[in-house]
């Protein structure tokens, strides 16, 4: 058999290590996972009942159009229902975009380091990847504009960016959108939107009216705490979404996920409280970094990238053996850093005290 040549250059996504595996491997009773930017407070308490009610319908295919969730989300975002596309996680929306727009004679522009799935899916489609290095953790939008040519189909802007936690402010974004040719899709990946506090973070949804080549990605996996159920979505121009729809699997979001996302969306108090607690958690890490003169990027997300000035793999391993799973920056393009998900106050205290012992 002969698979696409470009697949041979890729390796499967390496997720954060699972808790059970670490418990077994190191004989630990308690392990905390601060590796995949999951919500330490779980999800809204309303979700459980919504899932239980849906269990009666397991024999029936889900609504491929996700009409009930769609209507609620469209109201919440104040957009037209047809401006939404749902995915099995926003990961799948990224895949649909690549499937629909990229082919071997095209190219796609993105930052580096950034979220790995843009590059991964674009490579599978055979497109040329144009990576523009971050400057001080920020997107170099000027450089990205310079990388665009007549064969460019998609430009990816991850804001706040994973793994740095930095964001593109409103003025910078607008002047960028003004310069991108309208034939090029700009994907704004806002997976951490609900955590953002910066006053100059752009409100992107109203920009869709002025920029028909803009698409926003958001997800129920992070602040909404539904990572296991896989629901993400894109918000974009209606005619454009109609064109890419055939590249989406017909039943890509399942019943339980749709019902859970609907219930989660209805509980904005939960999101508000998670955001508040997350900001307090970020402060714990900022203080730790300042006390020990470690450099970090101020974060608008629920994670923080800290530079330990030594191999990130070593810090990762030290923490792993003591029951805390994080992500080494090594695989994320920051070899001397570690990316830590902000946990609960107690979890943050635990990891900070382990790190204090480590750097002594
Ligand atoms: C987590 C994450 C996603 C993927 O989220 P899912 O909806 O769970 O697929 C997309 N983009 C960024 C930047 C992320 O960090």
């Amino acid at each position: 058999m002969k698979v696409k040549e470009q697949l041979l250059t890729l390796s499967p996504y390496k997720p954060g290590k699972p808790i059970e595996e670490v418990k077994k491997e190191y004989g630990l009773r308690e392990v905390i996972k601060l590796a995949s930017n999951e919500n330490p407070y779980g999800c809204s308490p309303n979700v459980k009942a919504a899932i239980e009610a849906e269990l009666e319908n397991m024999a029936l295919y889900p609504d491929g159009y996700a009409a009930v969730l769609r209507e609620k989300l469209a109201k919440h975002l104040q957009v037209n229902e047809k401006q939404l596309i749902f995915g099995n996680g926003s990961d799948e929306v990224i895949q649909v975009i690549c499937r629909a727009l990229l082919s071997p004679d095209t190219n796609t522009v993105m930052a580096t380091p950034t979220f790995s799935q843009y590059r991964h899916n674009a490579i599978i489609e055979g497109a040329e990847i144009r990576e523009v290095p971050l400057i001080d953790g920020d997107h170099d939008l000027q450089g990205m504009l310079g990388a665009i040519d007549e064969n460019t189909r998609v430009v990816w802007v991850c804001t706040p960016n994973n793994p740095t936690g930095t964001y593109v402010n409103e003025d910078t974004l607008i002047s960028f959108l003004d310069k991108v040719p309208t034939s090029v899709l700009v994907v704004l990946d806002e997976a951490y939107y609900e955590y953002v506090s910066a006053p100059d973070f752009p409100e992107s949804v109203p920009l869709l009216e002025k920029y028909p080549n803009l698409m926003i990605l958001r997800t129920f996996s992070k602040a909404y705490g539904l990572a296991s159920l896989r629901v993400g979505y894109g918000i974009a121009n209606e005619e454009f979404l109609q064109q890419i729809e055939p590249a989406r699997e017909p039943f890509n979001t399942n019943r339980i996920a749709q019902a859970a996302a609907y219930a989660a969306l209805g509980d904005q108090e939960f999101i508000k409280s998670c955001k508040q607690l997350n900001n307090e958690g970020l402060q714990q890490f900022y203080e730790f970094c300042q006390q020990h003169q470690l450099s970090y990027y101020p974060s608008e997300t629920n994670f923080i990238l800290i530079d330990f000035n030594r191999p990130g793999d070593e810090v990762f391993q030290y923490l792993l053996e003591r029951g805390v799973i994080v992500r080494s920056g090594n695989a994320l393009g920051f070899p001397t850093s570690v990316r830590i998900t902000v946990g609960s106050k107690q979890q943050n205290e635990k990891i900070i005290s382990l790190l204090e012992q480590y750097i002594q």
Side-chain angles (χ1 to χ4, degrees), residues 26-70:
Y26 298 98
L28 295 163
R29 244 184 306 158
E30 207 192 310
V31 170
I32 56 177
K33 182 166 174 246
L34 300 173
S36 305
N37 309 334
E38 293 141 332
N39 188 334
Y41 311 104
C43 62
S44 161
N46 301 347
V47 166
K48 198 173 168 203
I51 290 179
E52 275 166 6
E54 197 57 46
L55 287 174
E56 281 184 43
N57 302 318
M58 285 304 96
L60 304 174
Y61 278 105
D63 173 8
Y65 188 64
V68 177
L69 172 60
R70 179 181 294 267

Side-chain angles (χ1 to χ4, degrees), residues 44-334:
S44 161
N46 301 347
V47 166
K48 198 173 168 203
I51 290 179
E52 275 166 6
E54 197 57 46
L55 287 174
E56 281 184 43
N57 302 318
M58 285 304 96
L60 304 174
Y61 278 105
D63 173 8
Y65 188 64
V68 177
L69 172 60
R70 179 181 294 267
E71 189 189 347
K72 190 172 179 85
L73 183 60
K75 273 212 188 87
H76 177 77
L77 298 169
Q78 295 181 294
V79 298
N80 183 316
E81 289 175 23
K82 297 226 162 87
Q83 285 181 272
L84 296 173
I85 183 170
F86 290 93
N88 198 255
S90 49
D91 276 349
E92 196 201 21
V93 185
I94 294 168
Q95 188 189 72
V96 169
I97 293 167
C98 291
R99 248 183 121 175
L101 280 86
L102 300 179
S103 55
D105 49 351
T106 67
N107 70 65
T108 180
V109 175
M110 63 194 72
T112 184
T114 190
F115 189 56
S116 60
Q117 292 306 293
Y118 319 138
R119 182 178 187 277
H120 188 96
N121 284 285
I123 285 183
I124 293 174
E125 300 307 329
E128 180 201 335
I129 315 294
R130 299 191 170 176
E131 296 181 301
V132 179
L134 298 174
I135 298 179
D136 271 342
D138 288 330
H139 276 64
D140 173 13
L141 293 181
Q142 212 50 45
M144 290 172 73
L145 278 173
I148 295 173
D149 67 13
E150 69 279 6
N151 295 323
T152 305
R153 296 289 179 272
V154 187
V155 178
W156 307 86
V157 180
C158 186
T159 175
N161 188 44
N162 183 358
T164 50
T166 51
Y167 69 102
V168 177
N169 70 34
E170 181 168 9
D171 290 347
T172 312
L173 178 69
I174 288 174
S175 84
F176 174 73
L177 290 173
D178 281 336
K179 293 180 198 119
V180 176
T182 49
S183 60
V184 176
L185 177 71
V186 177
V187 178
L188 218 52
D189 186 346
E190 297 185 335
Y192 300 93
Y193 172 79
E194 293 80 8
Y195 285 116
V196 172
S197 301
D200 60 347
F201 187 85
E203 206 44 81
S204 55
V205 172
L207 297 176
L208 292 167
E209 277 192 46
K210 186 164 175 211
Y211 304 100
N213 59 328
L214 177 63
M215 180 158 182
I216 301 158
L217 302 185
R218 293 190 190 160
T219 180
F220 286 95
S221 297
K222 305 284 159 63
Y224 284 98
L226 299 179
S228 71
L229 292 176
R230 316 301 303 124
V231 199
Y233 57 96
I235 323 163
N237 174 276
E238 180 176 333
E239 288 75 37
F240 169 69
L241 287 185
Q242 229 165 0
Q243 289 179 346
I244 70 168
E245 263 292 310
R248 179 182 70 81
E249 272 186 75
F251 302 109
N252 60 337
T253 58
N254 67 72
R255 268 183 188 281
I256 297 214
Q258 289 178 25
Y262 183 95
L265 190 61
D267 190 355
Q268 290 301 314
E269 280 305 308
F270 175 79
I271 298 296
K272 218 168 114 184
S273 116
C274 292
K275 178 178 172 176
Q276 169 67 28
L277 293 166
N278 182 67
N279 277 334
E280 291 167 19
L282 280 171
Q283 287 308 323
Q284 290 176 271
F285 285 102
Y286 292 163
E287 276 165 31
F288 160 73
C289 290
Q290 286 156 12
Q291 265 170 23
H292 300 277
Q293 272 122 43
L294 297 170
S295 60
Y296 63 94
Y297 294 109
S299 173
E300 292 295 324
T301 66
N302 67 336
F303 60 81
I304 182 166
L305 187 71
I306 302 176
D307 189 349
F308 286 90
N309 275 315
R310 60 184 97 188
D313 285 353
E314 277 177 34
V315 187
F316 164 83
Q317 190 59 31
Y318 166 86
L319 291 169
L320 191 69
E321 288 166 15
R322 287 155 187 83
V324 183
I325 315 170
V326 297
R327 274 312 278 274
S328 167
N330 196 28
L332 304 172
F334 291 90

